[in-house]
Amino acid sequence: MAHQYFILNKPYNMVSQFKSSHIVRLLGDLNYPFPEGTHAIGRLDHHSEGLLILTTNKAITRLLFQGPKPHTRVYHVLVNNLVSPAQLAALSNGVQFKIGEQSFHTTAPCEVAIVDPPLVQFPGAYILSERVPHTWLSIGLTEGKYHQVRKMLTAVGLKCKRLVRVSIEDLHLGDLPPGEVASISEAQFFEALKLG
């Protein structure tokens, strides 16, 4: 039987899995008839939003995350202040944060830019106040440490208020509304993710 491939705009406050021992919103709560064996590739935290890949093809995790070529993931991130040129430069050049009791990680150079307006056109859980300055950043990463974007921002004195993954390589979220699923062909999937 042929494998199936999907993209989801994962909404806020939902985990990237179908089963959990905790009382949380699950992928199975979406009103979509996923076939048996569907699983998420690459997770988003429950308070993060945006592009999530789902498939019945178990080999995709290895191809996407353990292959010879790293894949770029782009996030649009709302932070709670105006961002200075020095902060932009630090994020772009690499920052250090703690990843264990006594271990630190220095991020690889990455693409960071202020985006106005952001691609994110859907309202989120965080309500913007006109009295509080804010900035939307676009951050493109090829590495994926635990909570990396949030830790990078903290390292330069910024706080993440909203985080939305908008693309993985040439696979884009586009105008897919939160909680909605789109089915794509295997050919489209492999070409967009450069897995050929």
Side-chain angles (χ1 to χ4, degrees), residues 61-127:
T61 299
R62 178 178 52 79
L63 289 172
L64 195 56
F65 297 114
Q66 297 166 15
K69 180 184 179 298
H71 289 79
T72 301
R73 299 175 291 282
V74 176
Y75 302 84
H76 280 197
V77 187
L78 177 67
V79 297
N80 65 329
N81 218 322
L82 299 180
V83 178
S84 70
Q87 288 169 316
L88 273 181
L91 290 168
S92 299
N93 295 329
V95 295
Q96 188 179 78
F97 54 77
K98 204 169 185 180
I99 58 170
E101 286 297 316
Q102 298 178 340
S103 300
F104 290 85
H105 174 73
T106 300
T107 60
C110 63
E111 292 187 13
V112 182
I114 293 173
V115 282
D116 184 23
L119 289 179
V120 181
Q121 298 301 322
F122 302 105
Y126 179 73
I127 306 300

Side-chain angles (χ1 to χ4, degrees), residues 1-171:
M1 188 172 174
H3 287 298
Q4 295 187 51
Y5 303 85
F6 310 92
I7 60 171
L8 162 69
N9 185 347
K10 190 192 84 65
Y12 180 84
N13 201 25
M14 174 179 280
V15 297
S16 301
Q17 57 202 67
F18 284 92
K19 295 180 181 178
S20 176
S21 57
H22 304 286
I23 300 174
V24 290
R25 287 176 71 203
L26 298 164
L27 297 174
D29 295 331
L30 295 167
N31 185 26
Y32 194 87
F34 290 111
E36 187 176 346
T38 301
H39 61 285
I41 302 295
R43 297 191 171 183
L44 285 171
D45 303 321
H46 76 278
H47 48 294
S48 300
E49 309 164 60
L51 180 62
L52 187 67
I53 300 168
L54 299 102
T55 181
T56 56
N57 188 342
K58 290 184 167 59
I60 294 301
T61 299
R62 178 178 52 79
L63 289 172
L64 195 56
F65 297 114
Q66 297 166 15
K69 180 184 179 298
H71 289 79
T72 301
R73 299 175 291 282
V74 176
Y75 302 84
H76 280 197
V77 187
L78 177 67
V79 297
N80 65 329
N81 218 322
L82 299 180
V83 178
S84 70
Q87 288 169 316
L88 273 181
L91 290 168
S92 299
N93 295 329
V95 295
Q96 188 179 78
F97 54 77
K98 204 169 185 180
I99 58 170
E101 286 297 316
Q102 298 178 340
S103 300
F104 290 85
H105 174 73
T106 300
T107 60
C110 63
E111 292 187 13
V112 182
I114 293 173
V115 282
D116 184 23
L119 289 179
V120 181
Q121 298 301 322
F122 302 105
Y126 179 73
I127 306 300
L128 287 174
S129 167
E130 292 182 6
R131 297 191 303 273
V132 179
H134 63 273
T135 307
W136 278 97
L137 295 175
S138 174
I139 301 178
L141 301 177
T142 55
E143 40 179 16
K145 297 294 183 185
Y146 181 68
H147 284 174
Q148 177 162 337
V149 172
R150 297 175 192 277
K151 289 178 178 178
M152 287 172 66
L153 295 169
T154 299
V156 297
L158 297 170
K159 186 166 184 179
C160 179
K161 293 297 185 180
R162 192 175 176 195
L163 187 153
V164 185
R165 184 160 59 198
V166 296
S167 68
I168 303 172
E169 286 295 333
D170 293 333
L171 195 60

